[in-house]
């Protein structure tokens, strides 16, 4: 069997995903997470915090809630329904750090949790920081 024949066989046998349903659920859940962030922001500004401080506390709150829900196995259930909608940057990033840490906690604190915590998030950090440095250097040279 050639590669092309195998690819055609896989295409015929694979289940087609319901794109419209998946898109709508991702939009609804992602929008819900963002709306929850806006509610938190209104709460913190109502408590007398400045807009910058409220934004910081919203980020901290969303990270904490995402890590908590990951620990309680609620985030994974939501992700099965919402798919990419749970990848709203802050909550998805927190989930990508906590999830491997939980998976490898039986291997010990250092060699399990600490070593595996950044298996998913590590490349994101490396390329995110690297690209921001490159972008900053380009802007510096152009000014």
């Amino acid at each position: 069997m050639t590669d092309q024949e195998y690819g055609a066989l896989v295409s015929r046998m694979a289940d087609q995903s319901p794109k419209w349903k998946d898109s709508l659920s991702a939009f609804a859940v992602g929008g819900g997470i963002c709306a929850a962030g806006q509610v938190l922001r209104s709460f913190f500004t109502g408590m007398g915090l400045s807009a910058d401080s409220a934004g910081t506390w919203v980020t901290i709150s969303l990270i904490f809630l995402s890590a908590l829900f990951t620990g309680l196995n609620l985030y994974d259930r939501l992700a099965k329904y919402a798919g990419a909608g749970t990848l709203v940057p802050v909550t998805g990033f927190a989930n990508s750090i906590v999830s491997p840490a939980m998976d490898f906690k039986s291997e010990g604190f250092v060699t399990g949790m600490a070593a595996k915590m950044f298996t998913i998030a590590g490349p994101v950090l490396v390329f995110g920081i690297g690209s921001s440095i490159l972008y900053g250097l380009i802007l510096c040279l152009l000014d």
Side-chain angles (χ1 to χ4, degrees):
M1 181 177 284
T2 66
D3 288 344
Q4 290 81 13
E5 291 172 335
Y6 180 73
L9 176 66
V10 169
S11 295
R12 280 195 318 266
M13 301 300 281
D15 290 334
Q16 296 297 317
S17 66
K19 292 181 179 97
W20 283 104
K21 179 193 162 289
D22 290 350
S23 297
L24 288 174
S25 62
F27 178 78
V29 172
I33 292 171
C34 293
Q38 186 61 44
V39 168
L40 285 171
R41 183 164 194 225
S42 296
F43 171 75
F44 288 126
T45 54
M47 297 290 289
L49 294 176
S50 69
D52 287 343
S53 294
T56 302
W57 279 103
V58 167
T59 304
I60 291 168
S61 300
L62 288 175
I63 289 170
F64 171 76
L65 290 171
S66 176
L68 177 67
F69 290 164
T70 300
L72 296 173
N73 201 28
L74 298 173
Y75 201 90
D76 291 338
R77 290 184 196 167
L78 182 64
K80 284 181 185 174
Y81 168 74
T86 57
L87 295 179
V88 175
V90 171
T91 57
F93 188 72
N95 175 261
S96 74
I97 292 174
V98 174
S99 193
M102 288 180 49
D103 290 343
F104 292 98
K105 68 182 176 185
S106 63
E107 294 182 20
F109 185 74
V110 174
T111 58
M113 275 181 33
K116 302 293 185 178
M117 189 178 294
F118 292 100
T119 54
I120 296 172
V124 174
L125 288 171
V126 168
F127 288 106
I129 292 169
S131 62
S132 67
I133 290 170
L134 181 64
Y135 182 73
L137 287 173
I138 291 169
L139 282 180
C140 230
L141 293 173
L142 294 176
D143 280 339

